[in-house]
């Protein structure tokens, strides 16, 4: 019986993990030139490692040139960029059927797959039964919502400041964080509808799949790690910004467990989905 439950548990996250791996690694060849040109622009435009924004003293001349060449921000430009990001993500999804499994992906897919299967079979329900404090649930739920709101606010602030100061790198960073969060949230919703897992807070919930719920995977985890992945890839040399973004995403994600909003396996798959989505959009 135990072996049967483990086998069944492993089947459920397989589809979502294969989608994650294919999206981030599948179309890499066809976009090699795009990624290379993006890397060149990043190397020329990225701020120094010690600051999140730009140094006034060292970058006055590049900033003036950038302001002259920058077409600025407008509703039309925002709509165009949104469509471009959506098309890019859609193209990645098209590569899923033909790149479902790649040997290079197995080094991270298999450990996550194994951990998810064990969590579903052995960890999720006992872990959920340990949370009994209502005050803890309320506090954790509020923290996760505040953290997610902070990430959205930071993305919008970066976009607004970039537009106002004609700083295209900061503006594009803000836009990409918002686009990645939107893409991860959309993919997460599709998986929620597909797996239909019961929420932990549902009376007499057993965490059953296709039992009437939207628990698997966690949307907060997906959007938070999409935000963090973009920030980390845009500012790879700034450790405070990079690891600060990941720390915030981790706090938001883990708080969904004591809030009884998600099971541990929901959080793991959601974080994986968000990281993959953010990485893909940041690199293309």
């Amino acid at each position: 019986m135990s072996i049967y439950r483990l086998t069944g548990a492993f089947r459920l996250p397989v589809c979502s993990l294969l989608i994650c791996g294919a999206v981030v690694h599948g179309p890499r060849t066809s976009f090699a030139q795009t990624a290379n040109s993006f890397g060149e622009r990043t190397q020329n435009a990225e701020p120094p490692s010690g600051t999140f924004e730009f140094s006034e003293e060292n970058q006055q001349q590049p900033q003036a040139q950038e302001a002259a060449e920058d077409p600025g921000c407008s509703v039309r430009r925002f709509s165009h960029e949104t469509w471009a990001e959506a098309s890019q993500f859609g193209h990645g999804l098209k590569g899923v059927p033909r790149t479902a499994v790649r040997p290079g992906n197995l080094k991270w897919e298999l450990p996550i797959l194994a951990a998810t299967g064990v969590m579903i079979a052995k960890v999720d329900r006992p872990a959920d039964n340990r949370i009994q404090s209502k005050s803890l649930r309320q506090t954790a739920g509020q923290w996760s919502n505040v953290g997610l709101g902070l990430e959205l606010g930071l993305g919008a602030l970066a976009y607004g400041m970039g537009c106002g100061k004609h700083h295209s790198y900061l503006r594009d960073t803000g836009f990409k964080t918002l686009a990645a969060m939107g893409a991860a949230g959309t993919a997460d919703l599709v998986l929620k509808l597909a797996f239909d897992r019961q929420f932990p807070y549902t009376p007499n919930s057993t965490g059953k799949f296709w039992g009437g719920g939207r628990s698997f995977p966690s949307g907060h985890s997906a959007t938070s790690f999409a935000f963090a992945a973009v920030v980390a890839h845009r500012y790879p040399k700034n450790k405070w910004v990079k690891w600060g973004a990941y720390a915030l995403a981790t706090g938001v994600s883990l708080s969904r467990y004591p809030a009884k909003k998600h099971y541990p396996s929901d959080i793991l798959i959601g974080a994986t989905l968000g990281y993959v989505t953010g990485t893909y959009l940041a690199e293309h």
Side-chain angles (χ1 to χ4, degrees), residues 170-224:
L170 183 61
R171 180 200 65 208
D172 291 345
T173 298
F175 180 82
K176 281 187 174 290
T177 58
L178 297 175
M181 293 176 78
T186 302
D188 176 82
L189 178 60
V190 172
L191 292 176
K192 284 179 182 291
L193 295 173
F195 289 107
D196 198 32
R197 190 183 193 186
Q198 292 177 334
F199 284 106
Y201 59 79
T202 304
N204 302 318
S205 173
T206 60
K208 181 182 178 182
F209 287 84
W210 306 289
R214 301 289 182 268
S215 181
F216 185 90
S218 166
H220 279 63
S221 298
T223 51
S224 292

Side-chain angles (χ1 to χ4, degrees), residues 140 143-144 221 225 248-259 262 264 267:
W143 156 248
S144 63
S221 298
F225 271 91
L248 178 60
T250 301
V252 171
S253 301
L254 293 181
S255 64
R256 303 305 283 171
Y257 160 60
H262 290 284
I267 295 170

